[in-house]
Amino acid sequence: MTWTARVQQLRATTEQRFPAVTELTDLILSVRLLGGGTRSGARAFLASIPFLFAVAVAVAVAVAVAVAVAVAVVAFAPRRVREQPRASVPDGFRGPVIRPRAGAGWSGRSPWW
């Protein structure tokens, strides 16, 4: 007896004992691989949406706590500490300060070329 004949015999006896298996095996055999992969991918995506919302909420809460702590630190900090960022932020936007060498006048060209 070949293996295909044994499989067919096994299926026939199983179908006689459990009629629901016939529908299940027909469904499994009739569904194409691409359709099954698409359905599995869709289920995985739909299952991940609540997780992504939970991560977004956690990030939003973390940012809100960080901002609240920063505001509280600035609000209760001494005056010198509060004024220091106000003085240093504009310096970051000015760029490097180019000063001519001592004794050399400004010739109008950059000292790097």
Side-chain angles (χ1 to χ4, degrees):
M1 184 183 268
T2 64
W3 67 273
T4 55
R6 278 188 269 174
V7 169
Q8 289 174 351
Q9 183 183 7
L10 178 65
R11 182 178 179 198
T13 36
T14 307
E15 288 174 354
Q16 289 173 356
R17 289 183 182 176
F18 308 104
V21 172
T22 306
E23 295 176 21
L24 182 63
T25 55
D26 288 342
L27 180 66
I28 289 172
L29 295 175
S30 68
V31 174
R32 302 274 184 238
L33 184 62
L34 186 61
T38 304
R39 281 201 261 330
S40 297
R43 286 180 185 151
F45 173 73
L46 292 174
S48 68
I49 289 176
F51 174 73
L52 293 175
F53 279 127
V55 169
V57 167
V59 168
V61 168
V63 168
V65 167
V67 168
V69 168
V71 167
V73 166
V74 171
F76 296 110
R79 185 174 183 181
R80 287 178 51 192
V81 174
R82 286 186 303 215
E83 291 175 358
Q84 195 272 333
R86 210 176 313 150
S88 64
V89 168
D91 291 339
F93 292 106
R94 283 193 200 121
V97 177
I98 301 173
R99 293 189 179 100
R101 287 174 291 202
W106 180 252
S107 64
R109 54 176 229 219
S110 174
W112 287 293
W113 61 72

